[in-house]
Amino acid sequence: MIVETVVTTLDEDGQVNFAAMGVVWGEERLVIRPYVATRTFRNLVRTREAVVNVTDDVLTFAKSALSRERFPARPAARVRGVILADACHWREVAVEDVALPEPRPPGGGRADVATRVVAGAVGRPFAGLCRAKHAVVEASILASRARRLPRDEVLEGLHRLDPLVDKTGGPAEREAMAYIRAHVARLVGD
């Protein structure tokens, strides 16, 4: 099962990188699948540690997918890294193995970074994801691929998700969708 998360890693200067990312979920092991050309991949290979945060705050998810914004966080207990302050629960992980895609596609493709859970806890109850929150997560993923997908496909996908946010979302989900729309407009136009 793939769970949408916010993975936090540290760069060579100790600066935190927040990255929205689906991870293959397990109780004792997780597989993080970053693109090879990303900060997350470089940080995982260098530090061999990360924190995998689960949150129901879709604005944080959207911004971590589409920007380099930093969010309130606190130090992790067992790894060099940080826990998202508003995480519902998290797993601190140590890298066990890094498998590169073969053959390597253009842009490097996705690596499989196998990790072992070394710590974790619950910060607050997970409220769940209403249809609007699901729509924002899907829109975030679509927007993160806006440079690689045909313009019309991106805009049609967002248009399909908008009614879900309008009908079932609150202010937080509408703000997140507006953020995503503005991001896409900067990349591909309206």
Side-chain angles (χ1 to χ4, degrees), residues 16-188:
V16 181
N17 181 58
F18 295 85
M21 188 165 308
V23 300
V24 180
W25 199 261
E27 290 304 312
E28 297 177 12
R29 289 185 164 58
L30 305 176
V31 178
I32 302 170
R33 301 199 65 231
Y35 284 99
V36 173
T38 64
R39 285 181 298 280
T40 300
F41 176 77
R42 288 189 301 274
N43 293 346
L44 283 166
V45 168
R46 191 183 59 70
T47 67
R48 305 199 61 83
E49 297 175 312
V51 179
V52 179
N53 301 272
V54 175
T55 184
D56 52 11
D57 178 346
V58 292
L59 182 57
T60 297
F61 183 86
K63 287 182 175 182
S64 67
L66 304 175
S67 75
R68 294 184 74 175
E69 189 166 332
R70 293 198 169 96
F71 305 94
R74 62 184 178 279
R78 298 272 312 274
V79 301
R80 290 168 305 200
V82 301
I83 300 161
L84 192 61
D86 194 40
C88 297
H89 59 94
W90 62 90
R91 303 271 179 89
E92 298 175 38
V93 298
V95 173
E96 292 186 320
D97 184 56
V98 177
L100 297 173
E102 291 297 332
R104 296 263 307 263
R110 286 184 186 266
D112 284 338
V113 181
T115 68
R116 179 177 39 85
V117 176
V118 297
V122 174
R124 64 177 177 81
F126 181 73
L129 299 180
C130 67
R131 291 177 71 204
K133 288 182 185 283
H134 278 290
V136 170
V137 169
E138 290 301 317
S140 298
I141 294 166
L142 183 62
S144 74
R145 298 173 180 161
R147 287 188 178 108
R148 296 190 305 270
L149 295 174
R151 177 184 183 276
D152 289 345
E153 183 178 330
V154 173
L155 296 176
E156 287 170 16
L158 291 178
H159 181 70
R160 181 180 48 81
L161 295 167
D162 278 332
L164 296 173
V165 175
D166 291 340
K167 289 179 184 177
T168 67
E173 292 77 26
R174 287 185 182 88
E175 180 182 358
M177 192 59 131
Y179 177 86
I180 293 164
R181 280 244 172 234
H183 175 83
V184 170
R186 284 190 304 276
L187 293 178
V188 301

